Amino acid sequence: MRYEKINNLIGWLLAICTSTVYICTADRFNSWWDTGEFIASAYKLQIVHQPGAPLFLMIQNIFSNLAFGDVTRIAFFMNVGSAVCSGLTILFLFWTITALARKITVKKQLNVEPGQTLLIMIAGLIGAGAYAFTDSFWYSAVESEVYAMSSLCTAAVFWLILKWDRRADNPGADRWLLLVMYIMGLSIGVHLLNLLTIPALALVIYFRKKSRVTIRGGILAIGLGMAILAFILWGVIQYLVKFAAQFDLFFVNQLGLGFGTGILCFALLLVSLLVYGIYYSVQRQKPLLNTALLAVCLLLFGYSSFAMIVIRAYADPSLNNNAPDNVYSFLGYLSREQYASEPLFKGPVFDSDLVDVQYNHTYKKGASSYEKMSGAPVYTYDREMFLPRVYSEKHQDYYRAYLGLKAGESPSFYDNLRFLFSYQLGDMYGRYFMWNFVGRENDKQQFGNSANGNWLSGIKAVDRSRLAGEASISANMRMDPARNTYYYLPLLVGIIGMLWHIRKDRKQATIVGLLFFFTGMAIVLYLNQTPMQPRERDYAYAGSFYAFSIWIGFGALATADFLRKKLSLPAAGLTAGLLCAAAAPVLLFCENLDDHDRSERDLARRVAHNYLNSCAPNAILFTYADNDTFPLWYAQEVEGMRKDVRVVNLSYLASHWYVKQLANKVNDAAPVDTSIAPEKLAQGIRDYLPFVDQGITDYVDLDMLLSFVLSDNPKNKVAMQDGSLMNYLPARKIKMAVDKKSVLDNAVVPEGWEDNVLDELTWDYPEQHMTRAEIALFGIIKSNNWVRPIYFTNYTPEDKMAGLHKYLVDEGLVKKFMPVQVPSEETNEGLVNLEKLYQNASRHLAWGNYGKQRFVDVDSRNYMSHFVVPQLYERTAKLLKEKGEFAKAKEVALVAASILPQRVYDAEETYHYTEIVDTLYEVKETALANHIVDRHVQFLDDVLPSQVALARDQPQSVDVRSLQFGMAALERYRLIVDDIENGKRYAQIDQVYKKYRANFFTE
């Protein structure tokens, strides 16, 4: 069989096998974070958060049709879409490795000998198979997120440039370069990470075209590649739209023509220039110019997928993020104006003082023309630094602790570089890299200490020298499915392959190294992320892990080269293949399978159902963050679950487009009335209102306050430094009259609470400023007049409720807004609808497979441990017992016990189950209570020794939160069991408690 057929056959077999693994381990429904938004938007072709992913959405929409109308299977088949893209990524990686290996191994020969074919295929299988089962890539391969498809684009363009490289001397070879540019254009509609391959591609072209290669020439080629990257990233993606906007501004505002006329003329002019340029290049026989212009055309063809954004935004679907339905809003959408930008080359440090603010101007679409408005602010500080890394004021405590700075001490440029190399390149990249090729301690996020989320190898001597608590961990902790140990083997194989590659072909090695750098460390430099991210960001750097996997493949070639001193070529190849397969793909697969298998997960979907089912019909539900919003969008938009509930995200409510969309009917949910004229909260108007103390000590009526802050009267505004006038907040004590008749007619309060309805609500607004979000929220509260039930998720922080938390009644996962007084005996607990809590905790909420899964992911564990168990089950059992309703408390405790995960994952669970255990003992469920006590005490006795070691050797690395929960749990279990039986079990708990108390506390 010819080499090409073997190469194709093995590549496709590998792709099919890996895709099958991904499909088998894929989420069956939505998962946490962005997937709920992407699935909901792809299903109905709606608009996701900036800067959008239109091509991804359209392709995923195709996969959704495989569900054949079964809405509960749509998410799965979109996850299958990512699995297929990931399998194809492995296919192109295999072909990339074999192409590079063939170039080194075969040299100028036309035919590949069987022994060489064997070596090349082994290299491809080892390298591509290793990457297939790395931690970060597998994570993205099984969920409907953009990173799997983005990886496919990266793999495809790098393979295509190698196809060109092999055929560069043939007529028409440049068509491969044109195909690369087309895929580049398409990739913009998925994710921008693919563009980072351009400098490496430029180096491939330079090495191929120049017979004499110099360092200066290589640097110029890389510089040209970076210039092309900048041209696409800013020139094509943004400035092309800016030019179109300027044309339309002139045609509309100056010539009085209709909206879009200037855009049409600009498009015609651009097309004409490109067509003429291509014609000119043919007539004058300028092949380089011809190729460049055709490349731009194909790039624009690919980029045209963004037309979907504007077309669908104009239709105003349910999910219409940023509403980019005109050229200026579309420009803002592409430039991510909704998000704060990080300084790149020059900027402040965290303790710099602001000395000046200048506002750019932009335009918004008016009734018949574009209206000028203030754009993004440009800040000037008293102290700025080159390449600022410690710039975030709100993270200054973390910076100081990390860098060892004293209170009041300003960071130096040396401190700035220390943070860059130690944290951003070390913790935020190096740690992730080691996760994938050395091993990972656990899946817990690392928040400011080294107690969790470390990389480790599994080699005890090495790990104990690096991690203080490692010598004291228990066998149970070593069996944690999220603990993956590779013993440095994939890393060593990759390093051997890299060194072999450098020795055999420095040009090729430089290309792969450049790809490795730009898809890894260069992203770190560009993103300039602050510490304490809401989740680990390793998925963003998977492209560099892809590049390193090429060297893992070459590690097999290097091993075979070494073995050929003693063995024949086939024997050396097979032996090297077996050794390297065991060290990389097989080891990675075996270690990572248990914690990457998502086939049993369904909690994100269940949580969405529970939130929606906790609301009364026609309710308004205020949410706050990704994980209490996106799953709800999925449930409503895809599965059609409780479409009568209107979900309103408080974070988005600060945006003019979102406030405007409240007036739309969404699915079966009626519009949300703010009683505020749209122009009062339009773009650029009342984005921010400072509090200016007017000495008002009495409570101000909400109607009067809203009238004042919404007033256009100059007397009701305050002068700014630049002479402009701005609305302001004059008082922070607010009151609102209560329409008792409406409250009672609409059954706002539970039966028996009617006498507690207040005549007037009074609250203190907690912030020193007000935004459009709070204005809109107060407008909704006022205009609703208790007609529709209003809820906030328990996930919403109290400081995001504008001071209304004192009137929110806890019903489990949601809090209902009610005009009632806190009963005096429940002051410490706040407002609680105990009967509703009981009904939800014991009967109405379902948690799916949570208690049955072999492995529970960290996001699901955190959600249950931080919110569900303490706020629903623990609290309900406690309150029911206080009222003497032990039969109901028993029901709640039994349900809580039934959803315990198969193994204990953190100390917080042990603490929050103390109330459940106490309840079980009191209702004579002694055997079950004993089981939970033994389980939790054993866990704490397993994990606390490592904290003791940390406290002794690295006190700054102690996980204080877990330690506090663990010790509190031991003390509580000790007291509970002492009340029940002062016997053997008590003695065991007491012994464990005193042992660790002696280590952590002094009398």
Side-chain angles (χ1 to χ4, degrees):
M1 190 181 293
R2 292 176 59 238
Y3 170 85
E4 286 75 12
K5 287 187 177 181
I6 296 173
N7 190 38
N8 290 337
L9 178 62
I10 294 179
W12 279 109
L13 286 174
L14 179 61
I16 292 169
C17 290
T18 52
S19 294
T20 302
V21 171
Y22 298 146
I23 292 170
C24 291
T25 58
D27 257 307
R28 268 40 188 170
F29 303 100
N30 61 309
S31 50
W32 299 108
W33 302 106
D34 295 347
T35 61
E37 179 192 19
F38 279 124
I39 294 169
S41 297
Y43 179 52
K44 293 184 178 179
L45 291 183
Q46 303 183 94
I47 312 304
V48 298
H49 63 273
Q50 304 168 358
L55 181 65
F56 169 80
L57 298 177
M58 289 186 282
I59 292 175
Q60 289 295 76
N61 179 269
I62 294 172
F63 277 96
S64 73
N65 292 297
L66 298 176
F68 294 103
D70 183 351
V71 294
T72 64
R73 301 283 287 169
I74 286 171
F76 170 67
F77 280 105
M78 289 193 187
N79 296 333
V80 168
S82 289
V84 171
C85 289
S86 299
L88 292 174
T89 301
I90 300 307
L91 170 69
F92 286 120
L93 176 56
F94 173 84
W95 285 341
T96 296
I97 295 171
T98 57
L100 292 171
R102 178 179 180 177
K103 192 171 182 180
I104 296 173
T105 306
V106 180
K107 299 296 184 183
K108 298 296 183 180
Q109 296 169 231
L110 294 177
N111 297 318
V112 186
E113 296 175 0
Q116 294 173 325
T117 299
L118 176 66
L119 278 178
I120 293 169
M121 295 303 113
I122 287 173
L125 286 169
I126 299 299
Y131 183 64
F133 303 121
T134 51
D135 180 73
S136 298
F137 184 70
W138 199 344
Y139 180 90
S140 297
V142 292
E143 64 178 11
S144 185
E145 252 274 28
V146 296
Y147 296 102
M149 199 175 293
S150 176
S151 294
L152 173 58
C153 294
T154 299
V157 298
F158 200 71
W159 173 73
L160 285 169
I161 201 69
L162 297 179
K163 294 282 283 186
W164 170 86
D165 182 52
R166 192 155 184 268
R167 298 161 175 78
D169 296 329
N170 298 340
D174 286 352
R175 68 181 185 270
W176 296 102
L177 297 179
L178 296 179
L179 183 55
V180 165
M181 290 305 292
Y182 179 58
I183 293 178
M184 286 280 184
L186 290 174
S187 75
I188 299 171
V190 179
H191 198 280
L192 299 179
L193 287 176
N194 180 52
L195 301 180
L196 295 171
T197 61
I198 293 175
L201 305 188
L203 203 59
V204 173
I205 296 171
Y206 170 72
F207 286 152
R208 187 65 178 81
K209 287 295 187 180
K210 292 293 183 180
S211 56
R212 182 173 177 271
V213 173
T214 63
I215 294 176
R216 180 176 178 273
I219 293 173
L220 289 175
I222 295 171
L224 178 61
M226 294 177 67
I228 295 172
L229 170 61
F231 168 72
I232 297 173
L233 195 59
W234 287 288
V236 172
I237 296 176
Q238 292 189 29
Y239 275 92
L240 206 63
V241 181
K242 284 186 179 181
F243 290 145
Q246 290 299 313
F247 265 71
D248 211 41
L249 177 67
F250 175 76
F251 276 71
V252 174
N253 285 21
Q254 302 300 320
L255 302 183
L257 299 176
F259 291 110
T261 310
I263 300 171
L264 179 61
C265 290
F266 174 77
L268 291 173
L269 177 62
L270 178 64
V271 171
S272 299
L273 288 173
L274 288 172
V275 170
Y276 175 75
I278 293 170
Y279 173 77
Y280 174 83
S281 67
V282 173
Q283 291 296 109
R284 298 300 179 91
Q285 295 185 353
K286 296 181 179 292
L288 184 60
L289 176 62
N290 181 264
T291 301
L293 290 173
L294 287 173
V296 171
C297 290
L298 288 169
L299 180 75
L300 293 176
F301 280 141
Y303 182 43
S304 67
S305 67
F306 271 87
M308 172 266 191
I309 297 290
V310 180
I311 294 168
R312 292 296 296 147
Y314 191 78
D316 202 9
S318 302
L319 305 180
N320 190 8
N321 200 310
N322 216 59
D325 56 0
N326 65 81
V327 68
Y328 276 101
S329 61
F330 181 56
L331 179 60
Y333 183 82
L334 290 174
S335 59
R336 295 171 60 90
E337 68 178 10
Q338 182 176 325
Y339 303 99
S341 59
E342 294 78 17
L344 187 55
F345 296 111
K346 185 181 179 183
V349 292
F350 60 79
D351 61 350
S352 297
D353 291 325
L354 182 66
V355 296
D356 188 34
V357 181
Q358 298 292 329
Y359 287 89
N360 295 320
H361 73 270
T362 185
Y363 292 87
K364 63 180 179 180
K365 185 179 179 182
S368 58
S369 64
Y370 289 109
E371 301 171 358
K372 192 173 183 178
M373 57 172 281
S374 295
V378 178
Y379 300 107
T380 302
Y381 296 89
D382 63 340
R383 182 178 178 226
E384 296 187 327
M385 188 177 288
F386 173 69
L387 207 66
R389 301 289 118 178
V390 288
Y391 58 89
S392 173
E393 182 182 0
K394 71 178 184 178
H395 293 95
Q396 61 176 302
D397 291 339
Y398 186 95
Y399 293 138
R400 290 190 187 280
Y402 194 91
L403 297 171
L405 301 176
K406 299 176 182 176
E409 184 181 358
S410 294
S412 65
F413 184 65
Y414 173 70
D415 293 322
N416 186 61
L417 290 182
R418 273 204 300 142
F419 190 79
L420 165 63
F421 286 101
S422 180
Y423 182 82
Q424 291 186 328
L425 290 174
D427 284 353
M428 289 294 284
Y429 176 75
R431 183 167 59 98
Y432 297 154
F433 176 81
M434 300 298 269
W435 278 2
N436 284 274
F437 301 110
V438 176
R440 183 175 182 178
E441 178 185 27
N442 54 46
D443 61 349
K444 297 177 183 178
Q445 188 167 353
Q446 190 176 97
F447 282 123
N449 61 55
S450 56
N452 293 307
N454 297 293
W455 66 268
L456 85 172
S457 65
I459 302 173
K460 291 182 180 181
V462 176
D463 296 335
R464 289 175 179 178
S465 67
R466 289 185 55 253
L467 306 173
E470 187 62 25
S472 304
I473 68 168
S474 66
N476 183 55
M477 292 173 67
R478 293 188 187 279
M479 295 300 292
D480 183 352
R483 182 183 177 91
N484 300 318
T485 53
Y486 317 136
Y487 311 102
Y488 285 96
L489 294 176
L491 178 67
L492 290 174
V493 173
I495 291 174
I496 291 169
M498 177 184 68
L499 296 174
W500 181 87
H501 197 193
I502 292 170
R503 184 168 63 87
K504 290 290 185 178
D505 192 328
R506 289 189 178 181
K507 293 180 184 178
Q508 272 195 26
T510 303
I511 292 166
V512 176
L514 202 61
L515 179 67
F516 177 77
F517 172 78
F518 271 96
T519 54
M521 288 172 276
I523 298 176
V524 175
L525 298 172
Y526 177 76
L527 293 179
N528 194 11
Q529 290 178 328
T530 56
M532 307 295 283
Q533 290 287 307
R535 56 172 169 156
E536 300 283 14
R537 302 294 191 183
D538 56 295
Y539 52 82
Y541 311 109
S544 68
F545 311 149
Y546 175 96
F548 189 78
S549 296
I550 295 174
W551 284 327
I552 290 179
F554 287 167
L557 296 179
T559 305
D561 254 8
F562 176 77
L563 293 175
R564 284 188 65 186
K565 297 174 183 178
K566 300 290 184 181
L567 302 172
S568 65
L569 179 60
L574 288 172
T575 304
L578 290 173
L579 289 173
C580 292
V586 173
L587 178 61
L588 290 169
F589 174 81
C590 294
E591 283 290 309
N592 292 340
L593 176 61
D594 50 4
D595 58 314
H596 286 77
D597 182 0
R598 302 195 192 186
S599 59
E600 295 179 330
R601 300 186 193 179
D602 65 350
L603 186 64
R605 173 178 181 255
R606 294 290 186 175
V607 164
H609 288 194
N610 288 339
Y611 272 133
L612 295 171
N613 284 330
S614 296
C615 298
N618 198 32
I620 298 171
L621 174 60
F622 288 104
T623 63
Y624 168 67
D626 293 2
N627 285 338
D628 68 335
T629 303
F630 296 160
L632 276 64
W633 287 354
Y634 159 78
Q636 290 187 317
E637 298 294 316
V638 179
E639 295 193 12
M641 177 76 181
R642 288 299 305 277
K643 294 192 292 184
D644 62 302
V645 176
R646 183 62 178 265
V647 175
V648 179
N649 183 278
L650 289 168
S651 301
Y652 285 5
L653 201 57
S655 304
H656 67 94
W657 52 268
Y658 195 71
V659 173
K660 181 181 177 182
Q661 289 170 9
L662 294 177
N664 297 345
K665 180 182 178 183
V666 174
N667 298 313
D668 298 334
V672 177
D673 183 17
T674 63
S675 71
I676 300 172
E679 62 272 13
K680 297 287 187 179
L681 296 178
Q683 185 177 9
I685 299 175
R686 296 179 180 87
D687 295 331
Y688 176 90
L689 281 68
F691 169 65
V692 180
D693 193 352
Q694 299 296 316
I696 301 173
T697 57
D698 295 332
Y699 285 93
V700 176
D701 187 77
L702 181 59
D703 281 323
M704 185 182 299
L705 184 69
L706 287 176
S707 296
F708 184 87
V709 300
L710 294 170
S711 172
D712 293 323
N713 189 336
K715 295 180 179 179
N716 295 335
K717 299 184 179 183
V718 64
M720 307 305 292
Q721 290 183 351
D722 61 359
S724 63
L725 298 177
M726 176 182 283
N727 287 100
Y728 67 94
L729 177 65
R732 293 192 297 160
K733 289 181 174 292
I734 307 171
K735 65 180 180 181
M736 183 180 78
V738 175
D739 183 347
K740 282 191 172 183
K741 184 177 185 303
S742 181
V743 171
L744 299 177
D745 288 348
N746 291 292
V748 175
V749 298
E751 186 177 347
W753 287 37
E754 293 83 359
D755 293 339
N756 292 326
V757 176
L758 299 170
D759 296 317
E760 183 179 76
L761 303 185
T762 59
W763 69 95
D764 294 335
Y765 181 74
E767 302 295 334
Q768 291 291 331
H769 67 275
M770 182 177 279
T771 70
R772 184 184 288 107
E774 289 78 34
I775 297 173
L777 173 61
F778 288 152
I780 293 168
I781 296 295
K782 182 176 77 72
S783 61
N784 184 59
N785 195 31
W786 313 107
V787 173
R788 298 173 71 175
I790 291 178
Y791 298 88
F792 290 77
T793 64
N794 250 341
Y795 203 87
T796 304
E798 190 174 286
D799 61 359
K800 302 300 179 183
M801 297 175 179
L804 296 171
H805 57 274
K806 64 187 288 189
Y807 298 113
L808 298 182
V809 179
D810 192 358
E811 296 187 350
L813 295 187
V814 297
K815 295 179 178 180
K816 187 176 181 181
F817 184 49
M818 297 186 197
V820 293
Q821 182 66 53
V822 179
S824 58
E825 69 271 14
E826 293 181 4
T827 300
N828 293 333
E829 291 290 343
L831 284 163
V832 179
N833 183 348
L834 185 53
E835 180 59 27
K836 193 75 172 181
L837 269 179
Y838 159 67
Q839 292 291 340
N840 283 332
S842 61
R843 297 169 189 176
H844 294 165
L845 304 181
W847 304 108
N849 289 332
Y850 180 76
K852 304 168 188 172
Q853 290 175 231
R854 287 164 292 182
F855 172 73
V856 180
D857 61 287
V858 65
D859 294 315
S860 297
R861 300 195 314 258
N862 287 343
Y863 181 81
M864 296 297 283
S865 294
H866 296 350
F867 298 100
V868 174
V869 174
Q871 296 185 17
L872 183 59
Y873 293 102
E874 179 185 17
R875 188 181 199 195
T876 306
K878 179 174 179 287
L879 292 175
L880 286 170
K881 286 191 300 180
E882 288 176 357
K883 290 189 172 294
E885 299 187 37
F886 286 93
K888 290 183 177 180
K890 177 180 178 180
E891 288 185 62
V892 172
L894 289 174
V895 173
S898 73
I899 62 171
L900 275 168
Q902 296 298 300
R903 66 192 313 273
V904 187
Y905 292 92
D906 54 58
E908 190 166 354
E909 175 197 304
T910 69
Y911 174 76
H912 289 307
Y913 266 85
T914 57
E915 191 66 48
I916 304 303
V917 165
D918 187 55
T919 304
L920 291 171
Y921 277 128
E922 292 196 44
V923 298
K924 309 305 179 186
E925 290 286 344
T926 306
L928 181 56
N930 287 340
H931 167 72
I932 297 174
V933 170
D934 293 345
R935 157 192 167 110
H936 286 161
V937 172
Q938 178 61 52
F939 170 79
L940 293 171
D941 201 19
D942 282 345
V943 300
L944 286 175
S946 63
Q947 295 298 317
V948 171
L950 285 173
R952 181 185 64 243
D953 301 330
Q954 294 180 5
Q956 73 279 5
S957 299
V958 172
D959 188 346
V960 177
R961 178 183 172 88
S962 293
L963 175 61
Q964 290 173 336
F965 274 121
M967 293 306 299
L970 284 173
E971 184 173 20
R972 181 86 171 105
Y973 283 133
R974 177 170 165 264
L975 295 173
I976 291 170
V977 174
D978 187 30
D979 290 339
I980 303 301
E981 48 153 312
N982 197 338
K984 183 179 179 181
R985 183 167 283 102
Y986 170 80
Q988 291 173 339
I989 300 171
D990 186 58
Q991 181 183 9
V992 173
Y993 171 73
K994 289 179 178 177
K995 177 172 59 174
Y996 296 112
R997 181 175 177 81
N999 281 283
F1000 296 115
F1001 302 99
T1002 57
E1003 296 298 335

